């Protein structure tokens, strides 16, 4: 009964995080221009399929040294293979499903940054490389035993690097990988004029953007709470901390973003990104502070990217996932301390080492992967196709074909 409950628990968590990919899709659909909405939808669903293949055949083994090339009887725990043992009721299979949904979030994050001008197949190849080799390498270091990373951090800092639900492993890694992709692609046509003027490109559909945010918010409680991966390990502290961080992110972005609906809906996500790492050890008031800082940080980071640094990150995935994820990893070493009402078991130095390691790893890999593809296959649509839009250029249909027929 206990094993069966754990299987069901993790399966429901997998389904909730799977649903978050619809949130990624509609957040991008609502932000990009109408001529690129179909491409946003197609990218997210095909990236998930490619991620499944890459993680099943290669990535999961890279991270944890486990493969699924045994009989179904062995995989479901009905019998042991030659030196291979799986948990009863197929628990390890739903665990793979759950962790796959995390792995597939990496290309989903990057998709928003490179929207409106990336070629389809090179981007899909990048997904395969990232989910098969890059992401699981760092995942295995933090959530597994690869390279003795956690032992190294413990020997220096006195405690291992703590990242309960992936502020660094998923979000910061995805966000800093995206920075390399965005820089390698360059800005969209007409975004920045030679005289320094920034041409505004407003979201195409605020209701779709809001829908995407809401889907992500709901799914996030599976992302965070069910990272316990067992019924016995579940705790309401993760749920309340996620809630408080989300609320703090919304209210901070409301104030700093001056009522802008895009900032407000992304502010909720910023708070949730930041609280992932320490959601199981912080006091709710600490989570509120972490989420509030993240909401303000996203607004500042997005504005700096677009207006000052001329980094055309369409959905602001580097500020949202990269910056706020980094903040969340470090913040766990502050608000997770017993002195500030947390449960302890972490150190500031350990969190700093782990967080910076993830950022440096992702930044280097992002430039290597996308730089390599840029100078071999090419990453960007040609100017005519970009002007027409990815929908017609790549998929030969627009988001509103009936309107095109009448026109």
């Amino acid at each position: 009964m206990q094993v069966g409950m754990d299987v069901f628990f993790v399966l429901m968590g997998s389904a909730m995080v799977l649903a978050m990919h619809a949130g990624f899709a509609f957040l991008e659909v609502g932000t990009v221009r109408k001529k690129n909405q179909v491409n946003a939808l197609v990218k997210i669903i095909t990236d998930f399929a490619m991620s499944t293949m890459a993680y099943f055949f290669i990535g999961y083994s890279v991270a944890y040294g486990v493969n699924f090339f045994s009989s179904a009887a062995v995989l479901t725990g009905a019998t042991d293979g030659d030196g291979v043992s799986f948990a009863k009721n197929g628990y390890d299979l739903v665990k793979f499903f759950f962790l796959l949904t995390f792995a597939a979030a990496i290309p989903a994050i990057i998709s928003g940054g490179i929207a409106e001008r990336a070629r389809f197949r090179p981007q899909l190849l990048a997904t395969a490389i990232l989910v098969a080799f890059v992401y699981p390498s760092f995942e295995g270091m933090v959530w597994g035993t690869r390279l003795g990373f956690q032992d190294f951090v413990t020997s220096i800092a006195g405690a291992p690097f703590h990242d309960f639900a992936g502020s660094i492993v998923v979000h910061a890694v995805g966000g800093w990988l995206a920075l390399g992709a965005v820089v390698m692609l360059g800005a969209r046509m007409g975004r920045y004029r030679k005289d320094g003027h920034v041409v505004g490109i407003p979201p195409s559909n605020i209701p779709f953007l809001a829908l995407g945010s809401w889907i992500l918010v709901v799914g996030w409680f599976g992302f965070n709470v069910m990272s316990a991966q067992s019924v016995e390990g579940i705790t309401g502290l993760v749920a309340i901390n996620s809630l408080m961080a989300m609320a703090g992110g919304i209210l901070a972005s409301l104030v700093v973003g001056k009522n802008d609906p895009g900032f407000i809906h992304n502010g909720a996500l910023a708070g949730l990104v930041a609280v992932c790492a320490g959601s199981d050890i912080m006091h709710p008031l600490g989570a509120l502070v972490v989420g509030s800082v993240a909401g303000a940080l996203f607004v500042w980071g997005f504005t700096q990217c677009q207006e000052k640094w001329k980094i055309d990150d369409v959905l602001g995935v580097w500020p949202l996932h990269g910056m706020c994820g980094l903040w969340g990893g470090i913040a766990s070493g502050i608000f997770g301390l017993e002195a500030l009402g947390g449960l302890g078991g972490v150190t500031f130095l350990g969190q700093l080492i782990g967080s910076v390691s993830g950022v440096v790893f992702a930044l280097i890999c992002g430039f290597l992967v996308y730089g390599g593809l840029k100078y071999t296959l090419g990453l960007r649509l040609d100017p005519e196709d970009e002007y027409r839009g990815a929908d017609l250029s790549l998929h030969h249909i627009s988001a509103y074909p009936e309107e095109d027929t009448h026109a």
Side-chain angles (χ1 to χ4, degrees):
M1 178 64 73
Q2 181 65 49
V3 175
M5 290 174 63
D6 286 344
V7 169
F8 183 75
F9 175 73
V10 177
L11 177 60
M12 291 301 97
S14 304
M16 291 181 72
V17 185
L18 173 62
M20 291 177 69
H21 289 264
F24 282 119
F26 278 96
L27 191 70
E28 185 171 338
V29 167
T31 305
V32 299
R33 288 170 286 189
K34 289 172 65 175
K35 63 182 180 179
N36 295 298
Q37 290 180 333
V38 171
N39 181 244
L41 295 169
V42 174
K43 277 193 301 177
I44 297 298
I45 197 167
T46 53
D47 274 340
F48 190 88
M50 180 61 77
S51 296
T52 301
M53 295 298 100
Y55 201 60
F56 182 86
F57 287 105
I58 303 173
Y60 197 73
S61 180
V62 170
Y64 304 106
V66 176
N67 65 65
F68 301 100
F69 306 130
S70 301
S71 70
V74 173
L75 296 178
T76 56
T79 182
D80 290 340
D82 294 333
V84 179
S85 179
F86 285 84
K88 299 292 185 182
N89 293 42
Y91 172 81
D92 289 306
L93 302 182
V94 293
K95 180 181 177 181
F96 161 81
F97 185 10
F98 185 66
L99 292 174
L100 161 68
T101 59
F102 281 53
I106 298 296
I109 290 168
I110 296 170
S111 175
I114 63 177
E116 300 203 315
R117 74 268 202 209
R119 292 177 60 202
F120 186 70
R121 290 186 178 178
Q123 179 263 335
L124 200 60
L125 178 58
T127 293
I129 296 170
L130 294 176
V131 178
F133 301 105
V134 175
Y135 167 77
S137 295
F138 192 73
E139 176 191 15
M141 290 165 58
V142 176
W143 289 340
T145 59
R146 295 303 194 194
L147 302 181
F149 177 74
Q150 290 289 25
D151 292 336
F152 168 73
V153 175
T154 302
S155 68
I156 294 178
F161 172 54
H162 184 84
D163 190 1
F164 179 69
S167 286
I168 299 297
V169 174
V170 179
H171 298 289
V173 167
W176 289 83
L177 283 170
L179 176 61
V182 170
V183 172
M184 286 292 101
L185 267 175
R188 288 169 289 178
M189 291 174 57
R191 183 72 170 108
Y192 304 113
R193 294 178 181 169
K194 293 182 179 180
D195 61 3
H197 178 72
V198 180
V199 178
I201 302 177
S204 62
N205 192 309
I206 293 297
F208 275 165
L209 185 157
L211 174 63
S213 175
W214 271 107
I215 294 172
L216 285 164
V217 162
V218 173
W220 223 296
F221 286 85
F223 194 100
N224 282 2
V225 176
M226 293 176 176
S227 284
Q229 297 183 31
S230 69
V231 174
E232 183 180 8
I234 191 173
T235 168
L237 183 63
V238 177
I240 194 66
N241 282 345
S242 300
L243 181 66
M244 295 297 281
M246 179 191 77
I250 293 170
L251 295 176
S253 60
L254 169 70
V255 175
V256 179
K258 301 177 181 178
N259 302 338
D260 183 280
F263 285 147
I264 293 168
H265 285 91
N266 277 285
L269 309 182
L272 287 163
V273 164
V275 82
C276 285
S279 57
D280 63 326
I281 58 173
M282 292 180 187
H283 188 281
L285 293 179
L288 176 62
V289 174
V290 170
S292 299
V293 171
L297 178 61
F298 170 73
V299 176
W300 175 84
F302 184 87
T303 303
Q304 291 294 113
C305 278
Q306 301 294 333
E307 298 180 5
K308 302 294 184 182
W309 301 333
K310 302 294 192 297
I311 299 174
D312 191 16
D313 180 349
V314 180
L315 268 67
V317 298
W318 177 43
L320 179 62
H321 298 275
M323 294 182 184
C324 294
L326 175 59
W327 157 242
I330 295 173
S332 297
I334 302 171
F335 296 98
L337 299 174
E338 292 184 40
L340 292 178
L343 296 180
V346 293
T347 63
F348 177 78
L349 179 59
Q351 294 306 113
L352 182 64
I353 293 172
S355 300
V356 172
S357 296
V359 166
V360 172
F361 171 81
L363 187 63
I364 293 172
C365 290
F367 277 96
L368 286 176
V369 171
Y370 286 96
L373 290 172
K374 176 179 180 179
Y375 295 112
T376 54
L377 300 178
L379 278 176
R380 185 159 183 155
L381 292 171
D382 64 51
E384 182 179 348
D385 285 342
E386 184 177 344
Y387 179 79
R388 292 175 67 213
D391 292 357
L392 292 178
S393 298
L394 297 175
H395 310 292
H396 313 296
I397 191 169
S398 72
Y400 308 95
E402 188 176 359
E403 293 181 10
D404 296 340
T405 301
H406 291 322

